[in-house]
Amino acid sequence: MTARPALARRALGEFLGTGLLVTVVVGSGIAAQRLSADTGLRLLENSIATAFGLAVLILLLGPVSGAHFNPVVSLMDAVLGRRDHTGLPGRDLAVYMAVQVLGAIAGAVLANAMFSVPTVISATQRATPGTLLGEVVATAGLVLLIAGLSRACATLPQIAAAVGAYIGSAYWFTSSTSFANPAVTIGRIFTDTFAGIAPASVLPYLAAQLVGAAIGIALTLLLFPTTSTTTVPAVALVPSDMEEAS
């Protein structure tokens, strides 16, 4: 059985993957804002680019880090894999979360730079009772989808396609346009463009995402109480409890 990549290489994969995901979200939002006057058309353009971009990044970096790109996915990995020691250990979880947040911020800065937009704090207020409920629903669905497919022995391409499709559709069926990712939420503070979010809205969004993650984990345990694979991680195809490659 092949040893999983060393933590440093996996951390780089998570940094790049989360960063490029935010670059896709923010960059396509800026392009849509410039190309289209209609808000609905802008959202369509933004959601299509995000869905495809996310699927590609999962396919590319899944074999390296598991392609979590999301602190709640990493947390789900650690929680669901705790009993049989297949989940992320505490040190790895902390590293994953840190590089995901740093990558998300870097991704927003990169997107701004490509479109010659200044990196400033967003003024877009998003937190309302309805959008927070939307974040709970979006995050719970995402966690359940990833954990359920992993436990059902889905392949990497199947998971990549399903996650991309879910996020693309959740842009539309949730009132929040489905951030469903604490790192991406923090990264989107740093662009005052179509995809931005004001700092005052971030803490409520993060709280809603944690609630959604807890619901998603609980539903996974009810619907998929056992796993038919050796791994619980989001898209990882190698167990988290194996020794690191030297």
Side-chain angles (χ1 to χ4, degrees):
M1 195 175 288
T2 305
R4 66 190 171 102
L7 178 58
R9 186 148 63 95
R10 288 183 283 127
L12 178 59
E14 286 296 299
F15 177 85
L16 286 175
T18 312
L20 290 172
L21 173 59
V22 174
T23 300
V24 170
V25 172
V26 173
S28 63
I30 296 171
Q33 196 170 13
R34 292 181 176 180
L35 294 171
S36 305
D38 181 75
T39 302
L41 185 55
R42 291 174 178 175
L43 186 62
L44 178 63
E45 294 159 349
N46 192 205
S47 63
I48 290 173
T50 301
F52 285 136
L54 178 56
V56 167
L57 289 170
I58 291 172
L59 284 171
L60 174 64
L61 296 171
V64 177
S65 68
H68 295 189
F69 311 151
N70 187 334
V72 298
V73 172
S74 298
L75 180 62
M76 173 270 291
D77 181 347
V79 171
L80 292 179
R82 183 176 180 181
R83 178 177 297 179
D84 55 6
H85 305 290
T86 60
L88 285 175
R91 178 195 64 166
D92 293 22
L93 176 61
V95 170
Y96 267 47
M97 288 182 169
V99 298
Q100 287 160 356
V101 171
L102 291 173
I105 295 171
V109 173
L110 175 60
N112 291 335
M114 286 196 298
F115 287 90
S116 300
V117 172
T119 296
V120 296
I121 302 302
S122 176
T124 304
Q125 300 289 341
R126 294 181 181 268
T128 68
T131 57
L132 296 180
L133 177 59
E135 277 301 283
V136 171
V137 171
T139 309
L142 178 64
V143 168
L144 176 61
L145 173 68
I146 292 172
L149 288 178
S150 294
R151 290 192 162 202
C153 204
T155 64
L156 177 62
Q158 289 172 334
I159 294 176
V163 172
Y166 175 81
I167 291 298
S169 63
Y171 258 78
W172 292 90
F173 75 74
T174 65
S175 56
S176 64
T177 66
S178 184
F179 284 49
N181 185 327
V184 169
T185 303
I186 293 170
R188 287 167 68 166
I189 295 173
F190 296 91
T191 183
D192 195 19
T193 61
F194 186 74
I197 181 171
S201 295
V202 168
L203 283 180
Y205 262 54
L206 297 184
Q209 289 159 0
L210 288 175
V211 171
I215 294 172
I217 290 170
L219 289 173
T220 298
L221 292 173
L222 290 171
L223 295 170
F224 303 92
T226 59
T227 177
S228 57
T229 67
T230 57
T231 180
V232 178
V235 193
L237 300 181
V238 288
S240 296
D241 62 337
M242 296 174 60
E243 294 182 359
E244 293 182 0
S246 58

